[in-house]
Amino acid sequence: MINYNTFVDMAARSGSEGEGRVQRPSVSSCPVASGRPVIQRQVLVSLAAGLACVAVGSCLGWPSPTLARMSSPHWRWPGTGIAHQAHRQPRPLSGDEGSWVVSLMDLGVVLGSLPAGWAADRWGRRPILLLSAPLFVVSWLLVLVAEGPEFLYAARLLQGLASAVAMVVSAMYAGEVSEDGLRGTNSTLVAMLLSLGTVLSYSVGPYVTYRALACALLAVPALFVMCFCWAPESPHWLLAKGRRLEAEEALRYLRDGDTTSSGPLLVCAEADRIETAIVEASPRGTAGTATLLSAARELLLVSGPDRAAFLLVLGLVCIQALSGSDPMTAYSAITLPGGYVLDADQVVIVFGVVSTVSTGAGAVLIDRVGRRLLLIAFASLQFVSLLGSAVYYSLDERTEVDLAAVQWLPHTALVLYGVAYPIGLGTVPNALQMELFSTRVKGLALPAILVSFNVLTFTVSKLYEVVWHAWGKDVAFWVFSVDCLLAVLLATLALKETKGKSFPEIQDLLDPRRKQRNTPTWPS
């Protein structure tokens, strides 16, 4: 039997101006029929949308193999031609300029997140997600012709704007085309494909020229357009706009075009359930999008499940941002000590591959083990990895202890971090964002959370090198370690298990008073 409890997967705000009014249908008009569970097209469409996140990951990983090269005393900016570059005076990138190159992408994400969510609600998920591709292309063209750090600043801001669109809208889209049984798995595809993009930069960057790397990464958004241009619009967005026939066609396509006798009934029943949920979740029984002020009021002022979800997820993503993921991605090739068995570039490649495999494992484990246990276990493992690095760098920089025998420790700790972060803090908050919020507030909540995350990652990325040179590498690792302990504490005390639960059940977990209000009372 195919499960069509799709309340949790609606990622559109309700009640915008000019939006079509949806008539509440009778669910009984299209009886539910049993059919074979088909997931192939849902997964393929989610993967196609997630290719935009491969482009995001390639941008995140790009500084690691290139910063050391650009910091060399012999570095010449490429300019607009090979001959022109050969005659340029060497002009290396300074440490402060390098920190801006790393962190400005996060600033671009901050600036682009709210407009991306609004545009996806206004014009649809599909066209807005496709719009990220030309932004990525222009950014890589700026990298190719850079004549100074200013070109890279502009490129990284553009990459941040494009990444905001890709991350916000692909998360919405993947959740909205998925059945309940695939909800957690499809939401983690974003993180897995993002990790795959960083591996691409790590693996290609050390072995090709600056220009060749930029050309290789420029091909990623082109591949995304080729694979995603055939995908349908989100059926949830179409139903919220009153476009029932188009929504049914999209559902028919996503359910592998089932032509059996029960196929049309299943599509009709699913459309009825989605539409009914939109109506019930919308103010005054309309299926429009809530205003920003109304959504903000519900997230911040009204005591209820949406505010509880917002505070919980916001706390988790702040901890996620402060756990060191961005510095690990961008600076590892520079901060690691000399090679033990592998050199720093090779260890970073192993780190990227392990992170990608772990993210895939997280996609499988999250709907089997559960969110809460997964976060507690792997945030603890992440703490152990960061603690090992903190102890090593403290001994290395503040004592005269000979560490030659344990030179492997920071390399092993980085790989262990690559196992722990993608399964724990890198996966669970992303899945919770997809399933905890109601339709009324999701279009505001997701971008607001992404803005908060990237404000913190911008700060961490910009200050990491400052703290490193002012007080030592170990200080940052001690901070990251304490942060992971906070993740374990928050998950233990505040996170409720949502594995396999429908949206109403999740709302009852977040606000027990809601369950009491909705419990029928029977006359004696």
Side-chain angles (χ1 to χ4, degrees):
M1 172 72 74
I2 300 177
N3 186 349
Y4 287 124
N5 293 322
T6 52
F7 298 97
V8 68
D9 294 326
M10 287 179 288
R13 294 195 299 267
S14 34
S16 79
E17 294 182 11
E19 184 176 80
R21 185 182 180 92
V22 176
Q23 298 296 322
R24 178 168 179 164
S26 169
V27 177
S28 61
S29 64
C30 298
V32 179
S34 62
R36 62 184 178 88
V38 285
I39 64 172
Q40 180 182 7
R41 233 173 240 178
Q42 296 175 55
V43 174
L44 289 177
V45 167
S46 296
L47 284 170
L51 286 175
C53 292
V54 177
V56 177
S58 66
C59 296
L60 285 171
W62 175 79
S64 184
T66 54
L67 278 181
R69 184 179 298 171
M70 290 188 293
S71 301
S72 165
H74 306 293
W75 170 251
R76 291 179 172 87
W77 294 93
T80 55
I82 296 176
H84 181 56
Q85 180 183 9
H87 291 88
R88 278 182 168 275
Q89 292 297 318
R91 193 330 196 155
L93 195 72
S94 70
D96 183 62
E97 290 168 343
S99 69
W100 280 112
V101 168
V102 171
S103 59
L104 279 173
M105 181 178 169
D106 293 314
L107 182 60
V109 174
V110 171
L111 297 176
S113 295
L114 287 174
W118 174 82
D121 281 347
R122 183 74 173 82
W123 290 293
R125 282 53 165 140
R126 182 177 175 275
I128 299 303
L129 188 53
L130 285 169
L131 184 63
S132 66
L135 296 177
F136 281 120
V137 169
V138 172
S139 74
W140 289 120
L141 292 176
L142 285 172
V143 171
L144 278 169
V145 301
E147 297 185 357
E150 298 79 12
F151 283 74
L152 297 186
Y153 297 163
R156 295 293 282 176
L157 273 174
L158 269 180
Q159 289 174 355
L161 293 172
S163 297
V165 174
M167 289 188 291
V168 169
V169 184
S170 64
M172 288 181 174
Y173 186 87
E176 291 176 355
V177 300
S178 304
E179 301 168 10
D180 275 359
L182 292 174
R183 188 177 63 212
T185 299
N186 276 355
S187 66
T188 57
L189 283 175
V190 172
M192 184 179 72
L193 292 170
L194 191 147
S195 295
L196 187 63
T198 61
V199 172
L200 179 63
S201 292
Y202 291 160
S203 302
V204 176
Y207 307 107
V208 299
T209 65
Y210 171 94
R211 281 176 175 268
L213 178 60
C215 289
L217 301 184
L218 189 151
V220 176
L223 178 64
F224 158 65
V225 171
M226 291 171 58
C227 293
F228 188 66
C229 63
W230 51 265
E233 182 54 87
S234 160
H236 293 76
W237 183 83
L238 291 169
L239 286 168
K241 295 295 182 180
R243 294 156 64 173
R244 169 81 185 213
L245 293 179
E246 294 173 69
E248 288 186 1
E249 187 63 29
L251 283 170
R252 195 171 297 114
Y253 178 86
L254 290 166
R255 305 307 176 238
D256 279 7
D258 196 341
T259 57
T260 64
S261 59
S262 64
L265 294 178
L266 289 169
V267 167
C268 186
E270 181 170 10
D272 278 356
R273 294 182 186 198
I274 296 170
E275 204 168 44
T276 302
I278 293 173
V279 173
E280 290 177 345
S282 301
R284 298 178 300 279
T286 67
T289 28
T291 63
L292 287 176
L293 288 178
S294 175
R297 177 178 174 274
E298 193 150 350
L299 286 174
L300 299 175
L301 301 178
V302 178
S303 178
D306 283 320
R307 189 176 75 166
F310 185 69
L311 294 177
L312 173 63
V313 176
L314 185 63
L316 285 174
V317 298
C318 289
I319 290 172
Q320 181 185 19
L322 294 172
S323 68
S325 59
D326 266 31
M328 294 291 184
T329 302
Y331 288 107
S332 290
I334 300 174
T335 57
L336 282 174
Y340 183 71
V341 176
L342 303 176
D343 62 32
D345 284 331
Q346 292 170 327
V347 173
V348 169
I349 293 172
V350 173
F351 165 69
V353 172
V354 168
S355 296
T356 303
V357 173
S358 297
T359 305
V364 174
L365 292 173
I366 194 165
D367 282 325
R368 296 188 179 185
V369 176
R371 285 73 164 144
R372 185 171 181 270
L373 180 58
L374 209 63
L375 183 56
I376 292 172
F378 285 91
S380 300
L381 184 61
Q382 188 178 341
F383 164 74
V384 171
S385 72
L386 290 166
L387 182 65
S389 294
V391 170
Y392 178 90
Y393 289 125
S394 291
L395 293 174
D396 183 48
E397 297 178 347
R398 304 183 189 282
T399 71
E400 300 298 326
V401 176
D402 183 7
L403 299 175
V406 292
Q407 197 174 8
W408 50 268
L409 181 59
H411 297 179
T412 304
L414 179 65
V415 174
L416 191 62
Y417 186 98
V419 173
Y421 175 80
I423 299 178
L425 278 171
T427 289
V428 175
N430 297 338
L432 293 175
Q433 288 179 55
M434 294 306 305
E435 64 186 8
L436 295 188
F437 296 108
S438 68
T439 304
R440 295 185 301 274
V441 302
K442 205 169 189 180
L444 176 63
L446 293 184
I449 287 169
L450 189 60
V451 166
S452 303
F453 175 80
N454 282 283
V455 166
L456 284 173
T457 53
F458 168 76
T459 304
V460 171
S461 297
K462 185 68 184 78
L463 294 181
Y464 177 78
E465 191 165 353
V466 175
V467 171
W468 168 15
H469 291 298
W471 295 298
K473 296 179 187 177
D474 61 321
V475 174
F477 283 92
W478 284 116
V479 172
F480 299 155
S481 302
V482 172
D483 180 78
C484 290
L485 281 182
L486 291 177
V488 174
L489 186 64
L490 183 59
T492 303
L493 298 178
L495 180 59
K496 309 295 184 183
E497 185 53 65
T498 60
K499 179 186 71 169
K501 289 182 168 58
S502 67
F503 183 68
E505 291 171 332
I506 292 172
Q507 294 269 287
D508 290 341
L509 281 175
L510 291 168
D511 184 11
R513 293 172 301 175
R514 178 183 183 274
K515 185 174 183 180
Q516 295 170 4
R517 289 193 298 268
N518 293 340
T519 302
T521 57
W522 303 100
S524 57

